[in-house]
Amino acid sequence: MYDVVIVGGGPAGCAAGLYAARAGLRTLVLTGGEPGGQLGIAETVENYPGAGARGGPELAADMRRDAEQAGAEFRNERAAEVCLRERQVKTGQGAYRSGTLIYAAGASPRALGIPGEEALRGRGVSWCAACDGAFFKGKDVAVVGGGSSAVSEALTLSRLCRRVYLLHRRDTLRAERRLTEQLESAGNITFLRNVQTEAILGAKAVTGIAYRELPEGPQRELPCAGVFIAAGRKPNTELLRGQIALDAGGYLPADETTRTAVSGVFAAGDVRTKAVRQVVTAAADGAVAALMAARFLEE
Ligand code: NAP
């Protein structure tokens, strides 16, 4: 029995763990299989105040260390079942009950749902340039997407690969200007705009990508050794379905107090309905959720 169980070990979960432990709560953080959440696979973070330019995994490890030093218990276990009303979480290893629950399970990269994507996952199809880019050194690769992640992935790959094709279904990118300004100076990134990616090609490994110029151009094939998908993220709320109303995007509604519609349950980080999803806003949510959980237990 804990005072607070935190589902998620990214910036929101670590900050919640730090604040909860410092508030004297018996605190358990269940990190899931990916230490540090999305931060754990970020090549560099340059916008976390006071941290300078840091490697994502390094910053994530420091966040966990601080929470552990404050007294939070961490277990590298993935929640398999969550009962919000009972405030109970089951993993493959055990079942945990708690006075309060902070749901900080984050978001995961979205798939395109096109032929070849699933079959060639790990055989040329990747969602993480920082993790897998080195496999494609000196080769040609494609990145699909048009947001900050897509541009950031293309820039990372441009430092390793011979040529990077960035395929986006619109005319303009929706990435931060600071990033798009670097696209041209990279010198080896080709931006293919208004194209629909239709299939990833290859039998045992990726050999290319098939796309169509919108609205009704002919299908074309582009040879490449790797395809990096950066089509946004989906919230990790599958475990909550049927227990609480989610918003249209599947995110967990809670205002800036992080209180959800279920008493004693709080939502923190990228999984929460909110306007801005950044490392700093996730960490801020974690702090708020922990202090709200402490207040709930007092009341
Ligand atoms: P995002 O902003 O939601 O962009 C997703 C992109 O994928 C959009 O361009 C979207 O196209 C495209 N897309 C979605 N589904 C697709 C499909 N089926 N086929 C083809 N394209 C598809 O997601 P994000 O880039 O991952 O960014 C998420 C958040 O993290 C943002 O707030 C961003 O600012 C932040 N971020 C910041 C940095 C940084 O360096 N500061 C780096 C990465 C991410 P449409 O435009 O047509 O919808």
Side-chain angles (χ1 to χ4, degrees), residues 225-237:
V227 176
F228 288 78
I229 296 163
R233 300 186 169 93
K234 61 178 176 46
N236 293 322
T237 47

Side-chain angles (χ1 to χ4, degrees), residues 174-243:
R174 69 155 92 155
E176 286 169 34
R177 195 147 146 219
R178 180 185 63 80
L179 290 168
T180 55
E181 282 170 357
Q182 295 174 48
L183 274 183
E184 268 185 38
S185 50
N188 61 345
I189 300 177
T190 304
F191 178 30
L192 300 173
R193 60 189 84 218
N194 294 322
V195 297
Q196 183 74 43
T197 303
E198 296 194 325
I200 299 172
L201 310 171
K204 290 194 175 137
V206 169
T207 55
I209 191 163
Y211 68 92
R212 193 180 297 279
E213 279 170 30
L214 294 169
E216 285 176 10
Q219 194 185 66
R220 296 183 196 280
E221 291 185 10
L222 184 68
C224 61
V227 176
F228 288 78
I229 296 163
R233 300 186 169 93
K234 61 178 176 46
N236 293 322
T237 47
E238 294 81 8
L239 296 176
L240 311 184
R241 295 225 174 255
Q243 301 187 53

Side-chain angles (χ1 to χ4, degrees), residues 47 110-112 144-150 152 168-170 174 176 178-179 196 230-233 277-278:
N47 53 8
R110 195 181 285 140
L112 297 172
V144 183
S148 291
S149 294
S152 167
H168 183 34
R169 62 188 180 183
R170 288 184 203 274
R174 69 155 92 155
E176 286 169 34
R178 180 185 63 80
L179 290 168
Q196 183 74 43
R233 300 186 169 93
R277 294 189 173 86
Q278 294 284 308

Side-chain angles (χ1 to χ4, degrees), residues 103-138:
Y103 197 77
S108 298
R110 195 181 285 140
L112 297 172
I114 58 173
E117 183 181 35
E118 199 47 49
L120 294 165
R121 176 191 280 262
R123 289 191 278 162
V125 175
S126 170
W127 279 261
C128 177
C131 319
D132 301 328
F135 295 122
F136 303 94
K137 208 167 177 181

